[in-house]
Amino acid sequence: MWRGVLSSSKLSFSSKLLHRNFCSEIFVSRLSHYTTEEELQKTFSKFGKIKEVRLVRDDKTRRPKGFAFVRFESEADAERAIKGMDKRIVQSRLIFVEMAKSKSN
């Protein structure tokens, strides 16, 4: 009896993993307020082809807020960037890099 329940829950869990959203966007935090889009492009392009770099800026001052999003062409490139850049020093600051969360989360 339990085997049937267990195997069906494994199947359900596995199918959720297979159908999860494809994510090729990373979130980069703790950036210097002097960071530019060009510097981010140069820093992260060694991990794969980049589609977009979005440096989030303050609406009033237009200065960077210290975080950005980088979208790669593939999820594998994004994962390489996370492994290669998370908890690294960039412009004398320890940065954190993780997979970006979707707006629905």
Side-chain angles (χ1 to χ4, degrees), residues 20-55:
R20 69 186 173 103
N21 291 336
F22 175 79
C23 185
S24 62
E25 186 171 46
I26 61 173
F27 175 70
V28 185
S29 60
R30 295 186 40 91
L31 291 167
S32 164
H33 293 283
Y34 300 102
T35 302
T36 66
E37 285 90 351
E38 293 79 17
E39 290 168 333
L40 287 170
Q41 178 85 28
K42 183 178 178 185
T43 300
F44 285 93
S45 64
K46 61 185 169 188
F47 299 103
K49 189 158 184 181
I50 294 176
K51 282 185 169 181
E52 177 186 25
V53 174
R54 288 183 291 130
L55 185 60

Side-chain angles (χ1 to χ4, degrees), residues 20-28 43-52 69-86 96-101:
R20 69 186 173 103
N21 291 336
F22 175 79
C23 185
S24 62
E25 186 171 46
I26 61 173
F27 175 70
V28 185
T43 300
F44 285 93
S45 64
K46 61 185 169 188
F47 299 103
K49 189 158 184 181
I50 294 176
K51 282 185 169 181
E52 177 186 25
F69 295 90
V70 179
R71 182 179 305 275
F72 288 88
E73 285 201 358
S74 76
E75 186 174 14
D77 293 344
E79 289 172 357
R80 274 195 298 275
I82 291 168
K83 287 179 184 170
M85 294 300 295
D86 187 36
F96 294 99
V97 183
E98 61 187 281
M99 201 61 80
K101 295 175 177 50

Side-chain angles (χ1 to χ4, degrees), residues 52-66:
E52 177 186 25
V53 174
R54 288 183 291 130
L55 185 60
V56 180
R57 296 179 179 275
D58 182 270
D59 290 333
K60 289 183 181 181
T61 65
R62 302 306 303 153
R63 286 186 58 200
K65 287 187 170 186

